[in-house]
Amino acid sequence: MPHPIGFITLLWIFMGECLRIGVLGGYAEDTYPASVLEDAHLTTLQLLTKYKYPGESHQVTTEDKYVLTLHRIARPGAKPVLLVHGLEDTSSTWISMGPNSGLAYYLFENGYDVWMGNARGNRYSKGHVKLNSNTDRAYWSFSWHEIGMYDLPAMIDGILEKTGYQKLSYFGHSQGTTSFFVMTSSRPDYNAKIHIMNALAPVAFMGNMKAPLISIGRMGINVVGGSYELFPHSFIFLNQCLSSSGMMKTCLRFYWQIVGKNREELNMTMFPVVLGHLPGGCNAKQPQHYIQLKTSDRFCQYDYDTKENQRIYGRSSPPEYPLEKITAPVALYYGSNDYFAAVEDVKRLAKLLPNVVDSHMFKKWNHMDMIWGVSGRRTIQPRMLKLMQYWETYGGAKEDKTEAPPEPEEQEGTTELVLETSTKIIPKESTQSSGIVEEKDDIQTTDQGINEELEEPVNETTYSPMEE
């Protein structure tokens, strides 16, 4: 059940007690900059407008008649890139940390035409040619399998048609990687439309998932069943978590128990923006499908029951996705403290993918540090950019396909980071201060940086961004 879904499930359980505490008020206003609280309430396009980027909204219709919204930071004529979010997330995840941190901003500033997808069922993609997502239960009859089979192809084809290019580069986080693996293994012709796939916290096998409280969320979802909307977008978590210092600590404890604890990469100043954009909305069948992967320790299609499996698949158990058909170049980026994309599972995936061009573990990083971590602008983002530029330039030439891309200098493909005050992410035009101070024995972020008073010293980085 990757991404914030487990965090959201657990918080929901405690909301009844939390409601008596109050709503967004004095604590939030006294503690967080007004610009941050504003960002928490803005849509993706409103954020782009606020920070003076050329935002656009485009719609595509899938083969099975779902209407999806793509958000674009437009640079007409430039090479297109597609970014696809994780479970219960939206296009905003790529820009929510601000222009000095968000991957979408970074790619735009480096000359790309940036497209950010929204999977069916989230707050921006609830359209359908015939069905009403608010009244027709038939709308909610999909898992991430359909996102890979229909949503991603519609997005890719729509972008290529609009831009006139034949290929694009792809960035996926969590479910955005799962759905890509579904697409390129089940519809292998789409491999030819991808320069490179950058997989952030990739999720396929889940046998080693170790989120300690995930069983609570599993029980809740299994009880109520599938085919309904799970946690549509609202501001309930923002309001409750920001109602007091104590509630914020409680929310952070649950968050860390779901995605993995790493206070070094967390920008506490910007955390309200995360809470304002989550949940993004999804179908209950999506986390159910992930739960099945954990139980079966297989990367396979949705498991109904023996009779229904026989009808749909012609066999009693669901078939595995043929990973050997994924010929597009894939770069895997994962964290040693990721409770969902466990190191053992990512390494298992890497052995089965036929064209892995980079596989890199970031020490101490959790599931969300890949896209929200304070050091991303100086570590993972330059690395991905340089590798992408290499494959865009040389990847199409047959003679270059066996040539290894430039190698980093790290030992054993890992990175351990030392954070500096300069990595605190402050969006341009923001009036926010540099940090929120909490009690010493719990959550600590200060003007001197989020590393202050950590439980362990942080070793110095060995990272060298793809030096040739």
Side-chain angles (χ1 to χ4, degrees):
M1 203 189 311
H3 202 202
I5 186 68
F7 167 56
I8 293 168
T9 302
L10 295 167
L11 280 181
W12 198 276
I13 295 172
F14 289 92
M15 280 299 109
E17 176 65 16
C18 296
L19 285 173
R20 64 182 179 83
I21 298 176
V23 296
L24 191 61
Y27 167 75
E29 295 169 355
D30 293 342
T31 310
Y32 295 93
S35 180
V36 170
L37 298 180
E38 178 184 48
D39 286 3
H41 290 86
L42 298 180
T43 65
T44 299
L45 286 181
Q46 288 170 340
L47 284 170
L48 292 174
T49 299
K50 175 180 177 178
Y51 293 109
K52 296 180 171 52
Y53 283 83
E56 295 179 358
S57 181
H58 297 259
Q59 290 189 325
V60 295
T61 302
T62 68
E63 295 174 27
D64 58 346
K65 307 306 179 185
Y66 284 77
V67 181
L68 314 176
T69 296
L70 287 152
H71 290 132
R72 181 189 189 190
I73 312 179
R75 191 181 288 279
K79 294 177 181 179
V81 293
L82 172 60
L83 287 65
V84 180
H85 60 81
L87 190 63
E88 279 287 1
D89 211 345
T90 71
S91 56
S92 67
T93 200
W94 306 105
I95 62 172
S96 59
M97 290 296 105
N100 295 328
S101 180
L103 176 61
Y105 290 126
Y106 180 75
L107 295 172
F108 178 82
E109 296 293 355
N110 278 278
Y112 286 90
D113 185 15
V114 180
W115 297 75
M116 299 171 286
N118 288 285
R120 62 181 65 190
N122 86 2
R123 64 184 291 197
Y124 299 117
S125 288
K126 299 179 76 171
H128 194 279
V129 173
K130 296 181 179 180
L131 301 175
N132 186 319
S133 62
N134 295 320
T135 58
D136 295 323
R137 188 172 181 180
Y139 175 93
W140 302 99
S141 59
F142 57 86
S143 77
W144 40 257
H145 173 81
E146 285 74 20
I147 294 173
M149 289 293 291
Y150 305 116
D151 290 13
L152 296 191
M155 293 178 191
I156 291 169
D157 289 341
I159 293 170
L160 296 181
E161 180 180 359
K162 177 70 176 179
T163 61
Y165 280 86
Q166 295 182 343
K167 302 175 77 172
L168 55 76
S169 294
Y170 183 98
F171 294 79
H173 175 249
S174 192
Q175 182 186 260
T177 70
T178 312
S179 52
F180 181 90
F181 299 143
V182 170
M183 176 188 71
T184 46
S185 64
S186 303
R187 304 183 67 169
D189 51 311
Y190 277 88
N191 285 284
K193 300 182 180 185
I194 306 298
H195 284 298
I196 185 173
M197 190 285 205
N198 296 277
L200 305 171
V203 179
F205 300 103
M206 300 191 71
N208 293 285
M209 184 183 70
K210 51 184 178 290
L213 295 181
I214 207 66
S215 58
I216 299 177
R218 177 189 303 183
M219 287 188 295
I221 293 175
N222 284 342
V223 167
V224 296
S227 298
Y228 68 92
E229 185 175 12
L230 184 67
F231 301 124
H233 178 260
S234 75
F235 294 109
I236 185 171
F237 301 119
L238 176 69
N239 292 338
Q240 297 308 318
C241 293
L242 268 65
S243 62
S244 70
S245 173
M247 273 304 303
M248 176 54 78
K249 291 180 184 179
T250 299
C251 291
L252 279 169
R253 288 192 189 101
F254 280 109
Y255 172 73
W256 277 327
Q257 288 186 66
I258 295 300
V259 303
K261 185 175 182 179
N262 184 18
R263 66 179 76 193
E264 300 163 26
E265 286 292 328
L266 176 66
N267 189 333
M268 264 301 298
T269 302
M270 298 296 288
F271 196 62
V273 185
V274 171
L275 296 171
H277 288 267
L278 297 177
C282 76
N283 180 16
K285 195 174 176 182
Q286 292 165 249
Q288 279 185 324
H289 199 168
Y290 279 120
I291 289 171
Q292 291 180 357
L293 300 190
K294 166 66 176 174
T295 303
S296 68
D297 196 23
R298 302 167 64 221
F299 182 46
C300 58
Q301 295 191 41
Y302 193 87
D303 191 359
Y304 296 91
D305 55 45
T306 301
K307 183 177 180 180
E308 189 68 2
N309 288 341
Q310 192 67 45
R311 184 185 72 82
I312 296 174
Y313 308 126
R315 48 186 288 176
S316 60
S317 61
E320 295 190 12
Y321 293 105
L323 294 173
E324 69 276 5
K325 293 185 178 181
I326 303 177
T327 57
V330 176
L332 303 171
Y333 302 104
Y334 53 105
S336 64
N337 197 34
D338 189 332
Y339 284 2
F340 287 112
V343 172
E344 299 89 341
D345 292 330
V346 177
K347 288 183 176 180
R348 177 182 176 187
L349 172 65
K351 291 179 180 179
L352 295 174
L353 292 173
N355 197 7
V356 174
V357 297
D358 195 11
S359 182
H360 192 86
M361 182 183 75
F362 291 85
K363 290 183 179 178
K364 300 185 180 181
W365 281 26
N366 67 27
H367 197 63
M368 305 310 299
D369 292 338
M370 296 289 164
I371 51 174
W372 298 338
V374 296
S375 70
R377 179 56 58 91
R378 66 181 177 86
T379 55
I380 190 172
Q381 291 179 13
R383 182 189 188 95
M384 292 190 296
L385 175 65
K386 194 161 190 178
L387 189 63
M388 178 173 64
Q389 292 171 336
Y390 174 88
W391 283 96
E392 287 173 344
T393 303
Y394 301 111
K398 185 176 181 181
E399 61 271 20
D400 288 322
K401 288 198 173 183
T402 57
E403 180 182 333
E407 290 293 333
E409 295 181 354
E410 303 90 66
Q411 297 293 324
E412 299 180 356
T414 63
T415 299
E416 190 152 359
L417 305 169
V418 57
L419 305 187
E420 304 161 359
T421 56
S422 60
T423 63
K424 290 292 291 182
I425 306 306
I426 309 297
K428 63 182 180 183
E429 298 186 3
S430 172
T431 59
Q432 65 202 54
S433 61
S434 59
I436 310 303
V437 180
E438 300 285 354
E439 284 80 356
K440 284 186 177 181
D441 62 346
D442 223 318
I443 305 152
Q444 297 114 10
T445 56
T446 72
D447 291 340
Q448 284 70 43
I450 203 166
N451 268 342
E452 186 168 299
E453 301 184 66
L454 296 173
E455 296 171 354
E456 299 176 357
V458 184
N459 294 338
E460 192 162 336
T461 179
T462 58
Y463 179 76
S464 175
M466 301 299 295
E467 293 183 357
E468 297 182 15

